[in-house]
Amino acid sequence: MRRSLVLSLLLALLLAPLNQGGAASAAPLPTTPTPSARQAVGALSIAGRVLTGEALPGDPTATIALRDLWLARPDLSGTDTEVATALLARPTDGAEDPYANGYTVASSRECGDHVCVHYVPTTADAASPEWVARTLATMERTYAREVTRLGYRRPRPDGTLGGDNRLDVYLKDLGSGLYGYCAAEHRKKARTASGFCVLDNDYAPAQYPGPTTPEHNLTVTAAHEFFHTVQYSYDFDEDPWMLESTATWMEEQVADHVNDNRQYLQYSQLISPYIPLDAMSSAYGFQYGNWIFWEYLTQRFGAKIVRRAWQEAGTLRGDGGLYSVQAIEKVLSKKGGLTQVYADFAAANTMPSRSYEEA
């Protein structure tokens, strides 16, 4: 339903000059959109498809699609801006969201030290008290692992949005194919931003079939998506390959017992060594499969090296301000250099049973 409304509005905008009365000669000449405006409308269309479960094979994940739409929104105008704002809205916008993307009944929340989980008791988005408690406990454990133990920056505070400055997580019936997402919301210093997350309200097996349990789906999704909010404390405009490959690597650090990220190895350099390390392909998912590169670095140099790469990619004072592979080059400069380490990585992939702990 959301997609049909969004596309109807876009279609109405495109056809408006044709529907005006009067002679054709009296109609104003159309203005040619700038390249940035065309890209922004494209980002809007993609985000609409992804959030309604009708993503095309080449579309990115919801988090990347919303990141791209958030960056593109200043280049939109008129109703396009309204549609983008609605797609980027929190579920608690409710009736204020004309595209049915929000809660339709009053919500409640349960909070821990760092995270608040928002939910509704009725409608299709309803979450049981047990699932709310499980989600909150999972998010707090994820925070403790990624921020407290591994030393990454905490998500940027959002002031009083959602009630206070703790990270807000909303439970909704997302449907099969969409496990969760986190959206950037307000820009902070440099290229950092606060945001919020949306996770499924139960990961019911009927919607999420497969070998993993609802609890395991929650655990790996929380690990992956929460790390996107951490990344936005460094650089929200970073290379999508680095965003997704390190978030998939983080699943290994938080949920080592689940092993859900093994499914992406078929798209990694373990199988396709001639695909560039930083390749981004929504159709094939190389950016997910190549989490194995970060795992190789971790097993060889320790987990801190990934955090150092993000510090070199960060945009705050004292960060490196580098981009993706440049940041990797910097952290490996005193460890033999990227060229040598990458060659060692390629050699290790020819004999993974002798190169990785969980070969």
Side-chain angles (χ1 to χ4, degrees):
M1 178 179 179
R2 294 199 304 270
R3 179 172 185 263
S4 63
L5 286 168
V6 170
L7 294 186
S8 295
L9 282 166
L10 292 175
L11 188 60
L13 288 172
L14 292 173
L15 296 181
L18 302 180
N19 294 330
Q20 294 173 352
S25 60
L29 293 174
T31 301
T32 302
T34 64
S36 60
R38 288 196 297 269
Q39 293 171 355
V41 172
L44 175 60
S45 181
I46 291 171
R49 290 196 302 264
V50 171
L51 283 189
T52 55
E54 299 183 24
L56 300 177
D59 288 339
T61 61
T63 294
I64 298 299
L66 288 174
R67 191 283 301 263
D68 293 345
L69 177 60
W70 183 67
L71 291 174
R73 184 168 53 177
D75 292 317
L76 296 171
S77 60
T79 305
D80 283 348
T81 301
E82 296 177 9
V83 174
T85 299
L87 290 174
L88 291 165
R90 295 178 178 226
T92 43
D93 282 1
E96 298 300 319
D97 181 354
Y99 306 107
N101 196 29
Y103 294 147
T104 57
V105 297
S107 64
S108 301
R109 68 174 189 157
E110 295 290 337
C111 297
D113 291 338
H114 310 99
V115 178
C116 287
V117 175
H118 301 253
Y119 63 97
V120 293
T122 60
T123 73
D125 293 323
S128 69
E130 293 77 15
W131 191 259
V132 173
R134 182 181 293 275
T135 300
L136 179 57
T138 299
M139 291 301 301
E140 287 288 350
R141 284 196 300 270
T142 301
Y143 186 104
R145 176 62 176 166
E146 297 186 16
V147 177
T148 305
R149 295 190 61 184
L150 292 178
Y152 286 90
R153 292 172 186 163
R154 66 187 181 96
R156 300 292 89 179
D158 62 5
T160 59
L161 295 175
D164 54 40
N165 64 7
R166 285 173 284 195
L167 177 68
D168 296 301
V169 176
Y170 298 87
L171 301 184
K172 280 184 60 67
D173 181 23
L174 294 177
S176 59
L178 182 56
Y179 285 74
Y181 60 87
C182 292
E185 192 170 32
H186 292 289
R187 183 166 182 164
K188 303 292 183 175
K189 292 181 180 179
R191 288 199 302 269
T192 69
S194 62
F196 64 91
C197 297
V198 179
L199 302 179
D200 194 72
N201 62 336
D202 58 9
Y203 293 104
Q207 291 181 309
Y208 300 89
T212 52
T213 65
E215 293 76 16
H216 284 172
N217 284 331
L218 170 62
T219 301
V220 297
T221 304
H224 186 111
E225 296 302 333
F226 177 79
F227 195 58
H228 282 313
T229 70
V230 169
Q231 293 166 346
Y232 294 164
S233 294
Y234 292 87
D235 182 4
F236 55 68
D237 199 21
E238 186 49 74
D239 185 347
W241 166 77
M242 189 167 179
L243 293 172
E244 292 293 10
S245 62
T246 56
T248 309
W249 165 83
M250 185 57 80
E251 296 177 25
E252 192 75 5
Q253 306 306 303
V254 176
D256 183 43
H257 61 291
V258 178
N259 294 330
D260 183 71
N261 54 9
R262 299 297 188 275
Q263 65 179 301
Y264 302 118
L265 291 179
Q266 62 182 312
Y267 306 116
S268 72
Q269 293 202 324
L270 189 67
I271 304 299
S272 303
Y274 300 109
I275 299 297
L277 178 66
D278 60 347
M280 175 72 183
S281 170
S282 296
Y284 294 100
F286 301 120
Q287 64 274 15
Y288 303 105
N290 280 330
W291 69 269
I292 194 175
F293 175 71
W294 301 104
E295 183 64 15
Y296 173 80
L297 296 184
T298 298
Q299 293 190 17
R300 183 171 173 181
F301 303 115
K304 290 182 180 180
I305 196 164
V306 184
R307 191 185 72 213
R308 288 183 56 208
W310 269 105
Q311 290 171 335
E312 292 297 339
T315 57
L316 294 177
R317 180 178 297 181
D319 291 342
L322 300 175
Y323 188 71
S324 184
V325 175
Q326 294 175 336
I328 300 172
E329 289 177 331
K330 181 66 177 295
V331 300
L332 295 179
S333 61
K334 296 182 179 180
K335 298 184 180 299
L338 175 59
T339 300
Q340 183 59 55
V341 172
Y342 183 76
D344 295 342
F345 167 65
N349 287 340
T350 67
M351 45 184 179
S353 62
R354 298 172 57 185
S355 304
Y356 297 94
E357 291 179 1
E358 298 182 42

